[in-house]
Amino acid sequence: MKLSIHLGHNNPVRIAENSAGLAIYDDRIYFIEIDEENNSIINCMSDLPEGCVVNGSIKDFDMLEHGLAQIRSQTGRIREPVNIGLPLNDVVIRPLNFPKMSLDDIRGTIDLNFEEYFPFPRLEAVFDVIWVQTPADLHERNEITALAVAARRSTVEHVLDAARKAGIPAGPIEPVNFAILRAVPEAKEGLCVFATPHSVASMWNGQGIFFRSANNVNNIQDILNTIQFLGTQYRSTQIYRLIFYGLNFQLGGDTGMEIVNVDDEYLTPRGLAMRDVDDKQKVDLRPMEYVELERRRYAFNPNRLILWLLLSGFLMLSFGTISFSLLQMKDISKQLEEMRDDNEELTRRRVELAQANSRLEHQKEHTNRVLEFLKSDIPALEIMNEIELHAGAGVKLDEAVFERGITGVTVNIDGRAQDDDAVLTLTGGLKESGLFANVMLPVSQKDQLGQIVFKIILRVRDVL
């Protein structure tokens, strides 16, 4: 798809007075934005895929949406509504004569007798009506001329929908060959004929009074037929000027008409963008309900402002309440986490205290037994001193149990040592001490930490 964009030398900043037009043709879309002095700010175009517009009528609106999106990507954000021109054969333009009456009465008459003027049912159509002046107005008459423009409602609605999806705000919709005349200053005087590759129009003092669409104006005969028709309708008025746009025809002989060639690739969208100039010929084919919706959207409404302020206040209050609640929940969660940690710490300390209490109870029991022996006639203190004397640094005594039996006093020692040598040193020293008649080592094994767990049985000599 071919794309091109041209930035004018004027100030490129969009202002409220800027206006834009977008024209849809068989093979491409043209877009232009102009300032309040009608100078070009941005103009660009996008080629349409084959099959999108056929013989001046839109056939595929998905392709059209894609082309509009390409225009949108070139121009950036478009803030102001864009005036859109429909292809020639999607619109029917009829000059109609009525008795002198108001425009509303003319509109009502056409509405009631719509199918007498246009080739599709009223319920499937949208239309607009304007007054026009003709050369016949130079003579007093009891009739007025109106220009009625109609299109199928479905076509207009699909174009509006495609523009919305492409991000282009749509303004008024009118025929491309109707709007183009605004941008042709050469057509502002007298009776003129304007010819393009797709249509021929006649104008009276800048107003279009007759339009003829064609798939391809490829010979001078189409133009001569229009000239002949005008000569029949307005015998007393001579055609003042013949204007060619995109054509290169030559007329033989002296026709009495001034020949003007217009060379402006963006003439059509420029005419669409110039709707806001002082021009009486303005039609809008958008459905009335759509126009009313757009008017309400952009119109100032005090009630809407109050509702908006109330809604904003409600949203801000809701946001503040939700934020405060979230902060409170976060703080509560933090406090719960701290309490959970404190509870776990208290549980751990309670277990440690229980274990310490158990150890103390065991030590108390052991101490009581030792005290009992100390109170007895067994020389327990002397025996314990002798045992501790021969226990080296690598030996730890866990328990010493004194027992008196038939054979005398025995002492059962439980302990731990770093290795076998420390245990042998202890037993050897006890044997040589002279206090014990017998020293036995019935149990010796390693625990999970690699230490030697031992048990020594001592039989005390009777002399003690």
Side-chain angles (χ1 to χ4, degrees):
M1 178 175 286
K2 179 180 178 183
L3 301 172
S4 66
I5 183 166
H6 308 280
L7 300 180
H9 296 292
N10 300 283
N11 185 4
V13 179
R14 289 193 173 101
I15 56 176
E17 290 77 8
N18 295 352
S19 56
L22 186 147
I24 304 171
Y25 278 106
D26 283 3
D27 55 349
R28 61 187 57 180
I29 300 173
Y30 288 92
F31 174 89
I32 194 170
E33 182 178 351
I34 59 176
D35 60 18
E36 56 185 344
E37 296 179 355
N38 298 333
N39 296 316
S40 171
I41 299 175
I42 294 179
N43 41 300
C44 58
M45 68 177 181
S46 171
D47 286 345
L48 290 173
E50 184 177 355
C52 178
V53 181
V54 180
N55 293 331
S57 179
I58 304 173
K59 302 299 182 183
D60 193 315
F61 292 95
D62 290 334
M63 291 182 182
L64 176 64
E65 179 189 339
H66 181 69
L68 293 173
Q70 293 293 335
I71 292 290
R72 168 68 173 75
S73 66
Q74 296 181 78
T75 59
R77 182 178 180 185
I78 301 175
R79 299 179 183 275
E80 299 298 323
V82 177
N83 307 322
I84 298 177
L86 290 183
L88 301 174
N89 288 337
D90 278 330
V91 184
V92 180
I93 305 174
R94 292 278 191 267
L96 304 173
N97 293 324
F98 292 94
K100 290 185 177 181
M101 61 177 69
S102 68
L103 193 61
D104 288 337
D105 291 338
I106 294 175
R107 191 185 305 275
T109 302
I110 294 176
D111 197 6
L112 291 174
N113 304 280
F114 186 84
E115 295 179 19
E116 296 181 9
Y117 307 110
F118 297 101
F120 33 81
R122 173 66 185 95
L123 295 178
E124 300 177 7
V126 288
F127 78 97
D128 201 359
V129 184
I130 57 171
W131 279 318
V132 292
Q133 292 181 344
T134 70
D137 292 328
L138 296 174
H139 311 283
E140 292 187 3
R141 60 175 186 152
N142 294 323
E143 290 185 333
I144 56 175
T145 302
L147 209 60
V149 183
R152 292 187 181 275
R153 173 183 284 265
S154 60
T155 298
V156 175
E157 289 178 344
H158 281 118
V159 170
L160 291 171
D161 188 55
R164 178 185 60 80
K165 291 179 179 178
I168 297 177
I173 292 182
E174 56 187 357
V176 288
N177 54 351
F178 187 94
I180 194 174
L181 304 181
R182 300 190 191 105
V184 185
E186 293 84 358
K188 304 300 182 183
E189 180 182 357
L191 183 62
C192 302
V193 174
F194 182 82
T196 76
H198 300 286
S199 66
V200 181
S202 57
M203 293 147 287
W204 172 249
N205 292 334
Q207 296 186 61
I209 57 175
F210 175 74
F211 294 87
R212 177 176 176 270
S213 300
N215 292 335
N216 189 11
V217 180
N218 52 14
N219 58 69
I220 196 66
Q221 190 60 45
D222 294 323
I223 301 173
L224 294 177
N225 291 341
T226 301
I227 294 174
Q228 183 179 0
F229 170 79
L230 293 174
T232 302
Q233 292 290 315
Y234 311 111
R235 298 179 184 276
S236 61
T237 305
Q238 183 179 2
I239 297 177
Y240 173 69
R241 183 174 287 143
L242 179 58
I243 304 168
F244 290 133
Y245 170 62
L247 296 173
N248 189 24
F249 292 150
Q250 300 293 329
L251 295 179
D254 185 11
T255 62
M257 294 181 292
E258 179 183 355
I259 308 299
V260 177
N261 289 287
V262 178
D263 183 17
D264 184 355
E265 189 175 15
Y266 291 90
L267 185 66
T268 308
R270 188 185 304 276
L272 290 164
M274 291 171 64
R275 269 186 65 94
D276 296 333
V277 301
D278 186 16
D279 194 308
K280 297 179 181 179
Q281 286 196 297
K282 297 177 183 179
V283 298
D284 189 356
L285 295 177
R286 292 177 298 173
M288 291 302 298
E289 59 271 19
Y290 183 91
V291 175
E292 181 63 19
L293 181 63
E294 290 297 296
R295 185 190 67 80
R296 291 178 180 178
R297 179 181 300 177
Y298 292 103
F300 174 75
N301 189 327
N303 294 331
R304 185 183 300 171
L305 177 61
I306 294 174
L307 289 176
W308 184 86
L309 292 174
L310 291 175
L311 179 60
S312 300
F314 174 75
L315 291 176
M316 292 179 63
L317 179 61
S318 300
F319 178 76
T321 303
I322 293 172
S323 300
F324 179 75
S325 299
L326 290 175
L327 291 175
Q328 289 291 98
M329 290 178 62
K330 185 177 180 181
D331 186 56
I332 292 173
S333 298
K334 183 179 179 181
Q335 292 179 8
L336 287 174
E337 188 68 25
E338 292 176 352
M339 292 174 65
R340 190 178 295 110
D341 292 341
D342 292 342
N343 184 60
E344 291 178 355
E345 179 66 18
L346 290 174
T347 302
R348 184 183 63 79
R349 291 184 179 181
R350 187 163 53 248
V351 171
E352 291 178 351
L353 288 174
Q355 292 174 349
N357 185 62
S358 178
R359 287 196 300 271
L360 289 174
E361 288 292 336
H362 180 72
Q363 291 178 3
K364 177 182 179 182
E365 182 182 352
H366 176 69
T367 303
N368 289 335
R369 287 202 302 268
V370 172
L371 289 176
E372 289 295 328
F373 277 105
L374 292 175
K375 293 177 181 179
S376 67
D377 56 352
I378 300 174
L381 184 57
E382 184 178 353
I383 293 172
M384 291 302 299
N385 288 334
E386 191 67 25
I387 292 172
E388 291 179 358
L389 177 63
H390 294 286
V395 176
K396 179 181 179 182
L397 300 179
D398 293 332
E399 188 177 25
V401 180
F402 292 76
E403 295 180 354
R404 182 181 293 276
I406 299 174
T407 59
V409 177
T410 60
V411 182
N412 297 318
I413 300 175
D414 293 324
R416 289 179 173 81
Q418 292 182 351
D419 50 37
D420 292 333
D421 292 339
V423 177
L424 294 175
T425 301
L426 174 60
T427 55
L430 294 176
K431 288 179 181 179
E432 296 176 355
S433 65
L435 292 179
F436 307 103
N438 190 13
V439 177
M440 293 181 293
L441 183 62
V443 179
S444 178
Q445 59 183 7
K446 289 186 177 181
D447 63 6
Q448 295 179 350
L449 299 177
Q451 293 183 332
I452 304 300
V453 179
F454 63 86
K455 185 177 185 66
I456 301 175
I457 302 175
L458 305 175
R459 190 165 62 82
V460 183
R461 290 183 183 276
D462 292 338
V463 294
L464 296 177

